[in-house]
Amino acid sequence: MYNKAEQQLVNDVAWLPISQSNTLVVRKPCVMGIVDNAQGITPPEDWGNIYISTNPLCAKANG
């Protein structure tokens, strides 16, 4: 049954991931407009939506 299932995957699946990775991202809370996605990239058309907040609480944050 295992061999049959494996062969069915080979026949039907265009690609099969063999590894996964985790990515840790640190972002200041004042950075707004970033939409996280599974690829971990920001598409070029999204760059115009990213900005630093002028919220007074955010502006007073240290670090």
Side-chain angles (χ1 to χ4, degrees):
M1 285 175 48
Y2 179 83
N3 288 338
K4 183 178 177 181
E6 182 181 39
Q7 187 60 50
Q8 192 67 39
L9 284 171
V10 170
N11 293 343
D12 296 343
V13 177
W15 62 271
L16 185 65
I18 57 172
S19 67
Q20 294 181 351
S21 63
N22 292 328
T23 302
L24 179 64
V25 176
V26 178
R27 181 181 309 136
K28 290 189 176 189
C30 296
V31 178
M32 309 300 288
I34 294 179
V35 178
D36 294 317
N37 62 34
Q39 293 177 320
I41 61 171
T42 301
E45 60 270 10
D46 288 355
W47 280 102
N49 300 325
I50 300 171
Y51 62 96
I52 304 297
S53 174
T54 56
N55 181 318
L57 294 175
C58 197
K60 291 181 182 180
N62 292 329

